[in-house]
Amino acid sequence: MDDLTPHQNKNQNSTYDINVTYQKDTRYDNNYIHPTAIVGENVKLGKNNIFGAYVVIQGDTTIGDNNTFEPFCSIGNSPEHKNFFKHKNLKTIIGDNNIFRENVTINSGTEKATTIQDNVIILRGSYIGHDSFISNNCTISCNVLIGGHCYIGLGANMGMGSICHQFSKIGSYSMIGMGTIITKKSSINCFGTYVGNPAKYIKENDYKKKEFNYKQVLDVCKFFEEKTLTYFLKI
């Protein structure tokens, strides 16, 4: 009986050999792009990014340096908004040193660029809606759903299966428990821990708060309020 086990083609290199370049275009220098991955013609790449099997990067998307996209990620695709299915969409911006695990979906913007800053971890099966902003050092766990026009503050941690209503803001260094539902009436403050449906404050996020002195905590909260005010005023 024939061996039907799929094997990697001998002409393909291992997924994490970043010294391999499959395209001659200079924009692909120092990036590893798996032979099955698709990078659109309008995509701008930095250096040392890894694009795993069947990753699709499209639209007006800019990607920085040292990002990893595991298999089946879809980045920069059309917004899930009925008024924009057939219209030109705004940008998607990815910063540096981010990790995107399998089947992560990030939609492009409608009124502003969908943005992922730096050092963000987005785990398997999560969805980032159009026009949303994910700040530095956030952790987005498996199966998290973030609706359009959301602002996620610095270092926020969203637990597995949590859901965020569109136009929500998540405070910096907040902790969102597994399965928590953030409704349009929820108020998620900096350094808070929230659980339940709808989200309910239970205690401070002491694990993160102890890393800051009193003045730094105030500065973090002030920075978050200023950034979200500017962000939502531009809509």
Side-chain angles (χ1 to χ4, degrees), residues 11-145:
N11 295 320
Q12 296 177 358
N13 290 272
S14 65
T15 303
Y16 298 106
D17 181 0
I18 65 173
N19 295 317
V20 176
T21 300
Y22 286 94
Q23 307 287 344
K24 294 182 179 179
D25 192 314
T26 56
R27 68 189 178 130
Y28 295 110
D29 285 350
N30 300 313
N31 290 285
Y32 172 79
I33 301 175
H34 191 276
T36 62
I38 298 173
V39 179
E41 61 181 9
N42 295 321
V43 176
K44 302 176 184 65
L45 300 181
K47 297 180 179 180
N48 301 320
N49 296 293
I50 300 172
F51 299 91
Y54 302 102
V55 168
V56 177
I57 313 290
Q58 58 185 315
D60 185 3
T61 298
T62 299
I63 295 175
D65 303 333
N66 305 310
N67 297 286
T68 299
F69 298 84
E70 296 286 359
F72 298 100
C73 287
S74 178
I75 311 296
N77 50 309
S78 297
E80 291 187 337
H81 189 305
K82 64 182 180 181
N83 294 333
F84 290 86
F85 287 154
K86 297 182 180 180
H87 297 278
K88 183 178 181 180
N89 306 312
L90 293 185
K91 293 172 63 71
T92 304
I93 300 174
I94 308 292
D96 303 329
N97 306 309
N98 300 297
I99 296 175
F100 303 88
R101 292 304 307 249
E102 298 83 355
N103 296 293
V104 166
T105 298
I106 300 175
N107 289 169
S108 61
T110 61
E111 299 175 352
K112 63 184 70 176
T114 303
T115 302
I116 313 296
Q117 287 198 304
D118 303 333
N119 303 303
V120 174
I121 298 173
I122 303 182
L123 299 183
R124 191 265 306 153
S126 291
Y127 165 78
I128 310 298
H130 59 83
D131 301 81
S132 288
F133 189 100
I134 312 298
S135 301
N136 296 329
N137 304 312
C138 286
T139 298
I140 311 298
S141 299
C142 299
N143 296 328
V144 170
L145 304 178

Side-chain angles (χ1 to χ4, degrees), residues 151-170:
Y151 188 99
I152 313 299
L154 295 167
N157 189 321
M158 300 196 67
M160 291 189 297
S162 56
I163 299 175
C164 185
H165 192 278
Q166 59 264 34
F167 294 97
S168 294
K169 57 181 183 179
I170 307 299

